[in-house]
C-alpha cells in the first residue's frame, strides 16, 4: 500500500511539472521568434531607428531569457543551483549589453576595457559554475581515466581554438596592457568553456541528454561568433554586423532551449571503452599535426604565442598519460583473464577453461574429427587428506599435473575440474587410442609419489567418452565421461569407456529433472484416487490421492519413476504443494456435488523438516474452503531418521489445524512404541506385506491382530492396505479393522471415473 500511495502522489507532481515545462517552451519560442525577427529587420537598416530596434530587441530577449532560465531553476530541484548560475550568467551578459548601449563606442572603434566588458566577462565564470554543477550531478564519482579522457579532448580543443583565435586577437590589438589583456580574455574564456564542455561530454557520453547538447551548440556558436569578431578586428574590418549579432543571439537561443528540456537524473558510468581509446588518439594526432605545421612554416602555432604551445604540450602529455593508463589496464586485464582461467593450486587450466575449450571443440566434432574426453578421479584422496593433512593432499595434486602432461601432446588440454578430479580433452583420438591413453595415465599415477621422506601410492578411476560416437556435443561428452568414471570407481575397473546400457540412466537424469521441473510448473501432474472402505459401515468415506506424471513423450509415469529424482533435485516441496492443491480442489468439487470424502496425501520427510509447510497446508485449506479434518497427511517412519525434533514441531503445528497424521507402511521401518507415544499421530497404516500374507501365514495374522489392539489402545484409526481378495477383507472385518484399501475394493481411478464408481456403488446399495 505504501509503494502504491507513493507512486500515486508522485504522478500528479510530475504531470504538473511537464505542463509548466511546456509553458516555458512556448514562452521561449515566442522570445526567440521575436528576437530573430527584430535582428533581421534591423540588419537591413543603418539609421538610428534600426540601431534602437536592435538594442531593444536584444535587451528584451535577454531579459525574457533570464526569466525563462530562472523559472526552469524553480521548476526542478535536482539541478536548481546549475540553472540559477546560468540565469545569473545571462543577467550579467544583459547588464554588459545595457551598459554598452548607454555608453556606445563610435563606429569602427574598439574601446577596451570598458564597464560593459565587466558584465560580459562575468558571464564566463558563472557559466563555468553552471556546467560544473550539472556535471557533478550526473557524474559524482568517476575514475582517473575518465577525467583524463576529458582533459585530453578539452586541451586539444583549446589548442586548436587558441591557435586560430588568440593569434588574430594579438595581431589586431593595440593599446594599454589592460586593453590587450581584455582582448585576449575573451578567446581564452571561450576556450575554457569549450574545454569544460567537450570534456564533460566525453565523461558523460552519448546519454548526456538534450539539455547538454543544446548547451554544447550554444557554447560552440558563442565561441565561434567571438572568434569571427576577433578575426574581423585583426583584419581592420567593422567588427559588429547584424549577422554576427545573430550568431550570439542564436547561441543564447540554444541556452534557452536547453532550459526547456526535462532533467535526466540517472548517474553516468564509465563511457564506452572504444570512445575512451579513440578520442585521445585522435586528439593527440591533431595536436601533433598542428605543432608540425607550426614547425615547418609560420602558422597558427606561431600566431598564438607561448599559450598555444603550452596547451599543445599539455594535450600531448595528457594523451601519453592516458596511453600509459590504458597499457596498465590492458596488462591488468590480461593478468586477470589468465588468473580467471587458471587453477591457483596446480597452475593448470581450470573449469572455466575446460568449458571454453569444449565450446571450441564442437566445431571439430561437427566436421567429424574424433575428440576424446577423459575424467580422472584420484581414489582414496579423502583418506590422504584425513591421515596426512591437507598440505600433503595439496602437494599430491600439484605433482599430478606434470605427470599426466608428460603423456599428452601440445594440442591436448589437461585441466583440473576441482577437488581431486582432472580432465583431459584429446583431439583426433579414436576410441581404442583413448582407452590406451587412459591406461597410460592411470599407470603413471600408480607410481609412488614422494613428499620428503614419505612415499605414497595412489590409484585413479578414469572415465572415457569419445565423440562423435557417444555425442556430438563436447560438453555432453564431459558429462558422459563423468558417468563412466563413477562406473569405474564402483567396479574398481580403472579405466572405463562410456556404455549407454550401463550409464544411460545417469545420462538422462539431468534431462528428467528439467522435464519434471517444467511438468510441475505446467500442470502435467495428475492424481488418481483409491477408495478406503469403512468395514464397520460398508461405506467409502475416504480416498488416497496417488500422483502420476503425464509425461508428454513417455506417457503416464508412476511415482517410482520420478519421486526419487524430485527428492534429490530439491523439487519435492513444489511437487507436494502441487499435489496438495489438486487433491483439496477435487475434494471441494466432490463436496459441492454432495460427496463428502476425506482425502489422504503422501508427504516426504523433507516436507516435514520445512517449518513453513504447516502454513502452506493452512493456506491451501483456506483457499478451498475445507476444514483441516478433511485432510490426512501420510508420512513414513523414515522421517524419524532425519531431524526428529523439527519433524515433531511440524507435525504438532499441522495437528493444530485439525489435519490428521498417518504413519504409512507401518511395520517396515523405524517401528518403535516410543515414537507412537510422543508423535501426534491419528492413524496407523499397516504395510501391505503383512496384509497380503494373512491367508497363508498365521504369524502375519498375529502381527495384524496385535497392531489392531495397539491402535485401539492408543485411540488410533487402523488402515489395512493391500487387500487384494475377498478372503483378506473378510478376515480384516472379523478382526474389527477400521479401514481397508486395496485392489479388491478398487484400483486407483481418475476423479471422473471414481465419481461414477461411487454413484454406481451407492445406487446398488440402496434397497
Amino acid at each position: 500500500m505504501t509503494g502504491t500511495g507513493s507512486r500515486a502522489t508522485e504522478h500528479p507532481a510530475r504531470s504538473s511539472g511537464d505542463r509548466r515545462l511546456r509553458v516555458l517552451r512556448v514562452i521561449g519560442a515566442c522570445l526567440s521568434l521575436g528576437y530573430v525577427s527584430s535582428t533581421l529587420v534591423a540588419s537591413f537598416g543603418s539609421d538610428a531607428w534600426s540601431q534602437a530596434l536592435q538594442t531593444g530587441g536584444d535587451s528584451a530577449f535577454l531579459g525574457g531569457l533570464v526569466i525563462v532560465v530562472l523559472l526552469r531553476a524553480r521548476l526542478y530541484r535536482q539541478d536548481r543551483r546549475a540553472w540559477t548560475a546560468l540565469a545569473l550568467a545571462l543577467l550579467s551578459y544583459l547588464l554588459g549589453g545595457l551598459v554598452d548601449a548607454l555608453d556606445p563606442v563610435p563606429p569602427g572603434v574598439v574601446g577596451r576595457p570598458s564597464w560593459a566588458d565587466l558584465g560580459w566577462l562575468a558571464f564566463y565564470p558563472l557559466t563555468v559554475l553552471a556546467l560544473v554543477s550539472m556535471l557533478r550531478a550526473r557524474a559524482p564519482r568517476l575514475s582517473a581515466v575518465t577525467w583524463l579522457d576529458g582533459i585530453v579532448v578539452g586541451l586539444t580543443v583549446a589548442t586548436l581554438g587558441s591557435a586560430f583565435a588568440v593569434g588574430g586577437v594579438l595581431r589586431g590589438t593595440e593599446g594599454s596592457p589592460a586593453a590587450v589583456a581584455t582582448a585576449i580574455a575573451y578567446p581564452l574564456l571561450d576556450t575554457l568553456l569549450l574545454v569544460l564542455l567537450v570534456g564533460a561530454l566525453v565523461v558523460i557520453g552519448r546519454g548526456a541528454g538534450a539539455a547538454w547538447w543544446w548547451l554544447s551548440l550554444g557554447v560552440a556558436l558563442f565561441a565561434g561568433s567571438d572568434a569571427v569578431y576577433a578575426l574581423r578586428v585583426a583584419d581592420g574590418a567593422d567588427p559588429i554586423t547584424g549577422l554576427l549579432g545573430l550568431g550570439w543571439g542564436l547561441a543564447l537561443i540554444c541556452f534557452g532551449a536547453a532550459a526547456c528540456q526535462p532533467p535526466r537524473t540517472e548517474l553516468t558510468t564509465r563511457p564506452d571503452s572504444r570512445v575512451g581509446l579513440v578520442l585521445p588518439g585522435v586528439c593527440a594526432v591533431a595536436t601533433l599535426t598542428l605543432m608540425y605545421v607550426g614547425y615547418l612554416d609560420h602558422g597558427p602555432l606561431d600566431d598564438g604565442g607561448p599559450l598555444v604551445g603550452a596547451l599543445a604540450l599539455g594535450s600531448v602529455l595528457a594523451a601519453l598519460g592516458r596511453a600509459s593508463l590504458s597499457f596498465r589496464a590492458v596488462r591488468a586485464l590480461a593478468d586477470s583473464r589468465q588468473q580467471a582461467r587458471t587453477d591457483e593450486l596446480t597452475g593448470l587450466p581450470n573449469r572455466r577453461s575446460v568449458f571454453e575449450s569444449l565450446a571450441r571443440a564442437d566445431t571439430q566434432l561437427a566436421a567429424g574429427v574424433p575428440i576424446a574426453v577423459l575424467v580422472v578421479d584420484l581414489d582414496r584422496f579423502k583418506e590422504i587428506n584425513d591421515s596426512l593433512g591437507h598440505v600433503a593432499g595439496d602437494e599430491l595434486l600439484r605433482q599430478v599435473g606434470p605427470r599426466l602432461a608428460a603423456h599428452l601432446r601440445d594440442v591436448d588440454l589437461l585441466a583440473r575440474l576441482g577437488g581431486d578430479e582432472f580432465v583431459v580433452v584429446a583431439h583426433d583420438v579414436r576410441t581404442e587410442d583413448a582407452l590406451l591413453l587412459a591406461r597410460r595415465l592411470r599407470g603413471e599415477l600408480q607410481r609412488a609419489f614422494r613428499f620428503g621422506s614419505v612415499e605414497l601410492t595412489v590409484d585413479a578411476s578414469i572415465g572415457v567418452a569419445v565423440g562423435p560416437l557417444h555425442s556430438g556435443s563436447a560438453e555432453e561428452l564431459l558429462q558422459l565421461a563423468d558417468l563412466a568414471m563413477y562406473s569405474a570407481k564402483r567396479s574398481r575397473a580403472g579405466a572405463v569407456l562410456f556404455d549407454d546400457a550401463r550409464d544411460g540412466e545417469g545420462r538422462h537424469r539431468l534431462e528428467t529433472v528439467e522435464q519434471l521441473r517444467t511438468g510441475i510448473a505446467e500442470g502435467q501432474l495428475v492424481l488418481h484416487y483409491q477408495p478406503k472402505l469403512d468395514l464397520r459401515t460398508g461405506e467409502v468415506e475416504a480416498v488416497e490421492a496417488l500422483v502420476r506424471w503425464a509425461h508428454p513423450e513417455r506417457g503416464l509415469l508412476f511415482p517410482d519413476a520420478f519421486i526419487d529424482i524430485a527428492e534429490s533435485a530439491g523439487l519435492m516441496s513444489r511437487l507436494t504443494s502441487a499435489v496438495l492443491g489438486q487433491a483439496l480442489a477435487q475434494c471441494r468439487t466432490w463436496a459441492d456435488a454432495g460427496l463428502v470424502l476425506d482425502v489422504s496425501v503422501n508427504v516426504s520427510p523433507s516436507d516435514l523438516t520445512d517449518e513453513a509447510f504447516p502454513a502452506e497446508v493452512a493456506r491451501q485449506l483456506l483457499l478451498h474452503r475445507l476444514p483441516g479434518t478433511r485432510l490426512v497427511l501420510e508420512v513414513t517412519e523414515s522421517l524419524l531418521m532425519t531431524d526428529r525434533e523439527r519433524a515433531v514441531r511440524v507435525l504438532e503445528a499441522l495437528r493444530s489445524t485439525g489435519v490428521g497424521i498417518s504413519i504409512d507402511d507401518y511395520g517396515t521401518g523405524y517401528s518403535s512404541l516410543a515414537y507412537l507415544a510422543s508423535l501426534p499421530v491419528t492413524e496407523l497404516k499397516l504395510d501391505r506385506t503383512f496384509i497380503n500374507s494373512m491367508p497363508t501365514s498365521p504369524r502375519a495374522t498375529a502381527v495384524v491382530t496385535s497392531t489392531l489392539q495397539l491402535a485401539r489402545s492408543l485411540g488410533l484409526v487402523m488402515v489395512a492396505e493391500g487387500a487384494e481378495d475377498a478372503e483378506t477383507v473378510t478376515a480384516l472385518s472379523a478382526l474389527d479393522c477400521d479401514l481397508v484399501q486395496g485392489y479388491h475394493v478398487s484400483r486407483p481411478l481418475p476423479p471422473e471415473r471414481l465419481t461414477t464408481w461411487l454413484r454406481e456403488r451407492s445406487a446398488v446399495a440402496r434397497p
Side-chain angles (χ1 to χ4, degrees), residues 36 43 62 113 193 204 242 255 266 307 310 318 341 380 391 419 433 544 607 620 634-635 710 728-729 734 743:
V36 172
S43 65
L62 263 173
L193 279 183
I204 298 175
F255 291 155
E266 63 270 20
L307 173 64
R341 289 164 174 78
R380 300 185 301 106
V391 174
D433 296 331
E544 180 182 3
D607 294 320
Q620 295 266 21
E634 297 190 5
V635 302
L710 177 63
T728 302
V729 174
Y743 280 9

Side-chain angles (χ1 to χ4, degrees), residues 357 372 407-414 424-429 437:
S357 176
H407 296 270
L408 301 176
R409 302 164 299 175
D410 292 339
V411 295
D412 299 332
L413 173 71
L414 170 63
V424 173
V425 180
H427 297 264
D428 200 12
V429 174
L437 175 61

